[in-house]
Amino acid sequence: MPDDVILKVRDLYRTYEISGGMFKKGSTLTAVKGVSFDVKRGSTLAVVGESGCGKSTLARMLTMIDAQSSGSIEIDGLSMDIAKTGISKEMRQKVQIVFQNPYGSLNPRQKIGHVLEEPLLLNTDMPAAERRDLALQMLEKVGLQPEHYGRYPHMFSGGQRQRVAIARAIMLQPKLLVLDEPVSALDLSVQAQILNLLADLQDEMGLTYVFISHDLSVVRYLADKVMVMYFGEVVEYGTRDEVFENPRHDYTKTLFAATPRADAESIRKRLAAKVA
Ligand SMILES: Nc1ncnc2c1ncn2[C@@H]1O[C@H](COP(=O)(O)OP(=O)(O)O)[C@@H](O)[C@H]1O
Ligand SMILES: [Mg+2]
């Protein structure tokens, strides 16, 4: 694999057995059907598609929350097939996930300092003082303050909680971040701040993003490549400009026709206003 490709996915499938109830036969649902793509180091692949098309299923496989039914995932030269090999510390350090709803992924009884240090506790033998230092550094990196270290999740706003989730995701200095609708639950002005933060972190840390979103204005703002999924399959894959300017598949045309072009313009303005 050329080393500028950090994520290589080939013919990936995920099926679910659906129980049929007392008298019906069960059936099989194929949520991801033969998906293949490459992502270049330091770039952003946006994954787009309507609800139920398999985006989160893909995200769970890329981040080892779920095993694939078949097919291969290679991250930074490491083959990820957890059903066969289990999950090693080395694998965990390659990839992390950020969810749409950070509240759901934060334990309400844990102080933020503990939330941030947990990945280090589980994956390294770093001494407590160093863990604390790193947690404080990451808080600063995501625009939070040292005093947030001892606070509980409920004391934060939605945007701040998403900053915490991002800080936790980068504690192990992963190469790849999978972001599953990371700004979809936030107000527009907060969305812009979080997107700015993600752009800064990508530059600073050389991160690669797989960014799942149904918001085409967000995708247009941050994607290098765009992949459109439809009923578990990839129906469109190309550079942002190729896909936006010249969508090929009927589904993509419909999807894009439903989104006013002005959206991309307006989000750029919001972001520009925030930076100024
Ligand atoms: N654990 C599961 N068991 C059974 N079906 C599932 C499970 N997770 C997802 N699905 C089904 O797989 C399909 C894809 O879901 P998902 O990946 O969540 O889509 P998206 O994130 O694009 O909305 C849907 O039909 C969903 O109902
Ligand atoms: Mg989803």
Side-chain angles (χ1 to χ4, degrees):
M1 148 164 105
D3 60 358
D4 66 333
V5 172
I6 190 168
L7 171 61
K8 182 171 157 184
V9 174
R10 290 296 178 272
D11 212 20
L12 195 66
Y13 279 81
R14 172 71 210 198
T15 55
Y16 293 113
E17 302 305 322
I18 311 291
S19 64
M22 207 181 299
F23 300 108
K24 282 191 237 148
K25 244 185 100 211
S27 60
T28 304
L29 182 149
T30 308
V32 169
K33 292 181 201 166
V35 165
S36 300
F37 58 91
D38 286 345
V39 183
K40 270 178 72 176
R41 197 179 294 274
S43 74
T44 298
L45 171 72
V47 179
V48 192
E50 67 196 12
S51 179
C53 72
K55 304 182 298 296
S56 294
T57 302
L58 175 64
R60 287 198 300 273
M61 290 190 282
L62 295 178
T63 53
M64 298 173 290
I65 295 169
D66 237 347
Q68 62 263 46
S69 302
S70 65
S72 67
I73 301 170
E74 204 175 304
I75 302 178
D76 204 25
L78 208 59
S79 164
M80 308 280 190
D81 193 344
I82 60 169
K84 288 203 186 115
T85 66
I87 303 177
S88 66
K89 289 182 179 176
E90 196 188 6
M91 285 157 80
R92 254 190 240 292
Q93 288 182 329
K94 297 283 187 202
V95 58
Q96 293 289 326
I97 190 164
V98 175
F99 295 103
Q100 171 172 0
N101 175 1
Y103 207 41
S105 57
L106 298 176
N107 183 337
R109 285 186 207 85
Q110 283 181 349
K111 290 181 179 169
I112 295 310
H114 182 85
V115 167
L116 296 181
E117 289 175 29
E118 199 172 51
L120 298 171
L121 263 170
L122 298 175
N123 290 282
T124 71
D125 39 26
M126 195 181 276
E130 279 179 42
R131 287 200 305 266
R132 187 190 161 90
D133 280 352
L134 199 56
L136 289 168
Q137 271 178 42
M138 291 304 173
L139 279 176
E140 193 189 343
K141 235 190 214 322
V142 299
L144 294 170
Q145 313 300 322
E147 57 265 32
H148 291 135
Y149 181 91
R151 296 197 187 152
Y152 291 95
H154 75 267
M155 302 162 96
F156 289 79
S157 68
Q160 285 177 324
R161 282 199 286 264
Q162 200 52 299
R163 287 177 194 271
V164 171
I166 292 166
R168 181 183 157 99
I170 59 176
M171 283 302 287
L172 293 170
Q173 302 191 279
K175 310 278 181 172
L176 177 67
L177 273 194
V178 176
L179 303 127
D180 191 353
E181 305 269 8
V183 297
S184 302
L186 303 173
D187 293 342
L188 287 184
S189 63
V190 181
Q191 280 192 14
Q193 292 167 19
I194 299 294
L195 293 173
N196 271 338
L197 170 65
L198 289 170
D200 290 347
L201 289 175
Q202 183 166 46
D203 283 349
E204 227 175 280
M205 302 177 69
L207 287 165
T208 306
Y209 292 154
V210 172
F211 191 104
I212 295 171
S213 179
H214 65 269
D215 183 339
L216 292 175
S217 57
V218 169
V219 169
R220 190 161 195 150
Y221 171 72
L222 56 75
D224 297 300
K225 291 262 177 78
V226 176
M227 179 166 108
V228 181
M229 290 180 71
Y230 186 63
F231 285 105
E233 290 179 84
V234 175
V235 294
E236 193 109 38
Y237 175 69
T239 67
R240 177 192 58 187
D241 291 345
E242 279 163 14
V243 173
F244 274 88
E245 302 306 331
N246 189 18
R248 286 157 195 282
H249 191 270
D250 281 347
Y251 169 69
T252 321
K253 287 180 192 162
T254 318
L255 184 73
F256 285 20
T259 309
R261 280 182 79 92
D263 279 8
E265 219 30 65
S266 76
I267 198 161
R268 254 187 228 116
K269 281 196 190 122
R270 290 203 303 271
L271 287 165
K274 209 62 225 173
V275 174

